[in-house]
Amino acid sequence: MRWFICLMILFSQRTMAQQLFLAAGQSNAVGMADSAMSVPCAPGTAFEYRWASDSLVYLADPVGERELHFESAHTGSAWPAFAKAYHSLTGKQVVIVPAARGGSSCHYKAELNNYGTWDRKGRLPLIDSAIIKARAAVKKTGQPIAGILWSQGERDANAINAKQLTAGEYEEQLMAVVKQFREALGRQVPFYIIQTGHYLNHPAAGFDAVREAQENAARKMKHVFIVYTGTTGFAGKGWMKDEIHYNQTALNHIGATVAEQVAQKEKR
């Protein structure tokens, strides 16, 4: 039976239209929830690209590998739910390219210890590593990156609260990140933003500033979209794992909702 499933997966890799999505950001993009409650994907419909082995593997939590300074889910993420919903809506096979690191900042002024930054400055810049991994996935599959799924901003929000960073600096750097990805992966590659939520028992001002900056970037730049807005309501729904991280119910909802939004925008 196992050989038959492997054969079907291999056949689907060769015959089904593929869509590659780079999943990037910080800890909520890594996934800090529960793989036991993660959504299973049907064989042959969803894969994860792994850079170290240059291979496609069945997409299942914990998604991600400790490679190129990126991390694996601890232990559940949003990406199986995204892939399952996207495949159901489009009939296309999904390849997730995980490129997220917990605590990473967007702006180098917000970088904390060795957690990394998506700025080109800083102690541990991450964007070149993400580009290396994305390009390797493109080469492996022969398909372009169909979109970047972005969940990031908590570190910068804390830095705004601490007066280490302004909302304007964050917004400018977020737009620079989009431009840098596009210079490397395609000038029109869509950038899909999951809006940052609130850090419970911390000032909301910095987090609201980040959310506003994300909305501004989507308004100012073509093919930059806010695809999930409801993260600030998670505490009231009991969808928080702790003060800052989303639980698996939340991540499953994010994944499915983002898939719906992406599929809708691809039709336009």
Side-chain angles (χ1 to χ4, degrees):
M1 184 64 177
R2 182 176 296 176
W3 68 266
F4 178 75
I5 293 174
C6 291
L7 184 62
M8 290 298 293
I9 291 174
L10 180 62
F11 178 75
S12 68
Q13 285 180 301
R14 294 176 177 175
T15 61
M16 191 181 297
Q18 287 182 329
Q19 292 284 81
L20 274 64
F21 292 96
L22 181 71
Q26 59 180 112
S27 55
N28 281 314
V30 174
M32 303 291 288
D34 184 358
S35 60
M37 297 176 63
S38 184
V39 173
C41 298
T45 63
F47 293 87
E48 173 190 337
Y49 175 74
R50 292 186 176 174
W51 177 80
S53 58
D54 189 32
S55 62
L56 297 177
V57 300
Y58 172 69
L59 182 70
D61 275 319
V63 171
E65 288 279 287
R66 289 188 173 272
E67 54 188 18
L68 294 170
H69 304 299
F70 300 125
E71 297 176 329
S72 175
H74 308 278
T75 59
S77 73
W79 311 127
F82 169 85
K84 182 173 183 177
Y86 184 85
H87 174 74
S88 176
L89 290 164
T90 67
K92 296 177 181 178
Q93 184 186 85
V94 175
V95 178
I96 296 292
V97 184
R101 182 177 176 87
S104 57
S105 69
C106 186
H107 197 289
Y108 81 94
K109 287 185 179 180
E111 186 178 16
L112 184 66
N113 299 326
N114 66 339
Y115 294 133
T117 180
W118 292 93
D119 205 328
R120 289 212 181 268
K121 300 178 182 179
R123 292 182 291 276
L124 183 61
L126 298 171
I127 194 161
D128 286 339
S129 292
I131 290 168
I132 287 169
K133 190 169 185 179
R135 283 176 167 170
V138 168
K139 183 177 180 181
K140 177 71 174 179
T141 62
Q143 301 295 325
I145 296 294
I148 297 167
L149 309 175
W150 182 257
S151 179
Q152 195 282 332
E154 293 90 346
R155 173 83 287 274
D156 298 81
N158 279 332
I160 291 170
N161 279 333
K163 310 300 183 185
Q164 299 169 339
L165 180 70
T166 68
E169 287 174 321
Y170 170 79
E171 181 180 325
E172 182 178 359
Q173 177 54 28
L174 176 60
M175 294 171 69
V177 168
V178 176
K179 292 174 183 176
Q180 288 159 7
F181 272 128
R182 287 178 170 172
E183 286 170 2
L185 303 176
R187 289 191 139 334
Q188 299 298 318
V189 64
F191 195 87
Y192 300 111
I193 298 173
I194 299 162
Q195 269 193 301
T196 302
H198 284 156
Y199 194 162
L200 305 184
N201 303 312
H202 287 70
F207 295 85
D208 290 337
V210 163
R211 289 171 64 87
E212 183 177 358
Q214 291 166 341
E215 291 168 0
N216 291 342
R219 188 179 67 254
K220 293 175 181 179
M221 301 184 78
K222 291 183 178 180
H223 309 300
V224 173
F225 305 103
I226 304 292
V227 289
Y228 197 95
T229 62
T231 48
T232 54
F234 285 177
K237 294 180 178 180
W239 285 9
M240 299 295 291
K241 176 184 176 182
D242 51 38
E243 289 186 336
I244 192 68
H245 297 115
Y246 313 144
N247 70 16
Q248 194 62 49
T249 301
L251 291 175
N252 290 345
H253 191 264
I254 288 173
T257 303
V258 171
E260 292 171 4
Q261 290 290 311
V262 170
Q264 289 177 9
K265 295 182 188 310
E266 287 176 341
K267 293 179 181 178
R268 295 176 184 175

